[in-house]
Amino acid sequence: MSTVEDPIAYFLEDMAYHGRSQRTRDAYERVLRRFEASLDDGSDLGSISHRDCLAWLSELRGGTAESTVASYASYLHRFYAYMNEVGVFDENPMTLVMEELDEQITTDPNRRDISIPEMETFVQSVKHPLDRALIVLLLKSGIRAGEACNLDLRDIHISDAPVPTGPVRPQLDGRPDSLFVSQNPQRGNETNGEQRGSSNKRKRDTVIPIDGELRQVLIDWLAIRPDPRSTAEPLFVSTARNWGQRLTGSDVHHLVTSHTREQGWYKSGAGAGENVTPHYFRHFFTTHLRDRTGDRGIVKYLRGDVATDVIDTYTHNWGDRVREVYERNIYSLVDES
């Protein structure tokens, strides 16, 4: 473990180097300093256990909204993950804590419970090729709305596609019918020659299988996709007033909720437990695929969550293990009969 006099200041300085805004850095500092102040005399940030982290989060729950507690936990997790990665800390005590939080979030009894047949009926009601491709992608990959916005044409590899798709990333060579989700795009930074408006919150690069249904809706979309305004060739562009411009997170939220509102799954002023948004689709993917596979590791790999054991187990054997389990267990949403 390297010696750093003020680990929080070190972390915040690195965040600045990575282009994070002053507002973001201030938010991290407030949370991290509050956590630091809660430690017993003699304890330091680099030597605490996961039980110390759990104890602090438990204390917060007495007077803090659960969503805020989850945000604080995420800040703490990113801090420790980074400090461990650069060698300042020997371990990340938040890894076990976040696994437990993930379990609680995905089994939240207050969240709307939508069955696979109900979701299939919903998908059938979505007719526009852009809307359907985006919704099926979110439901079948578990990626975030911002990650979908950041996808470029080079990030998908569709075998024998009847529409032009162009060259793919080297990471997809030899991996037909696959999707690459990078951890790199950050808001305000340039990726593939274009400044991005959304950040990918993924903790590592991930290759996700494209099954037959997703493949077909993507082909249907590409057949009518307007010429993009950006040379980065964004996968999803507007077909409305911002014709040919990369979709934004707000665009995706509006697109999804316009359909879920019609379904009676979204009401203005309702909470996260009732409303179905793009984030709900990530919850749906996590819950149903994990229940079907019984393999939390593969689901965590596909979600892009941090877990060294998952990296070791699955990325080196991606073509066999992940794809086989995924294709055997992914639910059907597009009944073309």
Side-chain angles (χ1 to χ4, degrees):
M1 181 172 69
S2 303
T3 301
V4 172
E5 183 176 348
D6 187 347
I8 294 175
Y10 180 96
F11 173 68
L12 295 172
E13 185 177 21
D14 278 15
M15 288 185 76
Y17 292 151
H18 284 93
R20 305 304 293 270
S21 69
Q22 184 64 52
R23 181 179 178 182
T24 297
R25 301 198 305 273
D26 288 345
Y28 270 88
E29 182 165 24
R30 284 194 298 271
V31 173
L32 295 174
R33 294 298 183 193
R34 183 175 175 181
F35 174 67
E36 183 181 40
S38 74
L39 299 178
D40 294 333
D41 292 341
S43 298
D44 64 81
L45 289 166
S47 62
I48 65 169
S49 70
H50 74 282
R51 295 178 66 87
D52 297 309
C53 299
L54 278 173
W56 183 64
L57 295 172
S58 179
E59 289 177 5
L60 290 177
R61 286 194 173 91
T64 307
E66 193 63 33
S67 60
T68 302
V69 174
S71 294
Y72 285 9
S74 176
Y75 283 14
L76 207 57
H77 182 41
R78 290 172 189 171
F79 166 68
Y80 274 106
Y82 183 79
M83 300 301 278
N84 174 240
E85 183 69 22
V86 298
V88 176
F89 294 163
D90 288 334
E91 60 182 348
N92 177 3
M94 283 296 294
T95 300
L96 291 176
V97 178
M98 294 305 292
E99 288 186 2
E100 178 63 24
L101 286 177
D102 284 346
E103 183 72 18
Q104 292 174 6
I105 292 169
T106 55
T107 57
D108 183 354
N110 297 317
R111 191 184 290 269
R112 181 187 290 271
D113 184 19
I114 299 176
S115 68
I116 292 174
E118 287 175 318
M119 191 62 80
E120 182 179 0
T121 299
F122 165 70
V123 170
Q124 303 315 306
S125 72
V126 179
K127 302 302 182 184
H128 193 286
L130 168 59
D131 298 11
R132 178 176 279 208
L134 186 55
I135 287 173
V136 172
L137 172 67
L138 294 173
L139 284 165
K140 289 216 164 191
S141 67
I143 67 174
R144 300 173 177 86
E147 293 170 342
C149 294
N150 276 325
L151 290 173
D152 295 332
L153 204 58
R154 65 174 185 163
D155 296 320
I156 62 169
H157 185 183
I158 299 177
S159 61
D160 302 320
V163 292
T165 57
V168 299
R169 285 175 169 271
Q171 295 93 331
L172 292 178
D173 283 345
R175 294 179 171 180
D177 294 324
S178 302
L179 170 75
F180 181 83
V181 188
S182 173
Q183 65 175 334
N184 289 328
Q186 296 296 317
R187 182 177 182 177
N189 291 352
E190 187 174 292
T191 299
N192 196 19
E194 180 187 346
Q195 188 177 65
R196 300 306 169 107
S198 300
S199 297
N200 281 11
K201 298 180 180 179
R202 190 163 294 257
K203 300 304 186 295
R204 63 170 178 274
D205 297 340
T206 312
V207 178
I208 301 174
I210 295 176
D211 75 340
E213 290 183 351
L214 179 54
R215 179 181 187 276
Q216 188 57 55
V217 297
L218 287 173
I219 289 174
D220 293 343
W221 157 239
L222 290 172
I224 65 131
R225 168 176 165 267
D227 291 336
R229 295 184 184 181
S230 168
T231 58
E233 290 282 337
L235 176 59
F236 293 114
V237 297
S238 177
T239 59
R241 60 185 178 86
N242 294 323
W243 183 267
Q245 188 168 310
R246 184 187 298 273
L247 291 186
T248 66
S250 296
D251 293 333
V252 175
H253 186 272
H254 176 73
L255 181 154
V256 169
T257 57
S258 66
H259 290 288
T260 58
R261 189 186 295 274
E262 291 179 359
Q263 190 74 19
W265 292 349
Y266 186 92
K267 296 179 181 178
S268 298
E274 182 178 351
N275 280 340
V276 175
T277 64
H279 186 70
Y280 180 91
F281 291 161
R282 182 168 166 85
H283 155 78
F284 183 91
F285 170 85
T286 302
T287 301
H288 286 286
L289 194 61
R290 190 179 61 199
D291 288 349
R292 284 169 160 240
T293 64
D295 192 328
R296 292 183 62 192
I298 282 185
V299 176
K300 287 174 73 65
Y301 166 74
L302 293 169
R303 282 170 50 96
D305 296 336
V306 172
T308 302
D309 59 330
V310 174
I311 294 175
D312 292 342
T313 302
Y314 299 117
T315 58
H316 295 162
N317 195 24
W318 183 91
D320 296 329
R321 177 65 174 156
V322 174
R323 187 169 203 106
E324 175 190 347
V325 172
Y326 178 90
E327 291 187 337
R328 188 170 65 244
N329 293 282
I330 192 63
Y331 32 80
S332 176
L333 295 173
V334 185
D335 182 4
E336 301 293 352
S337 60

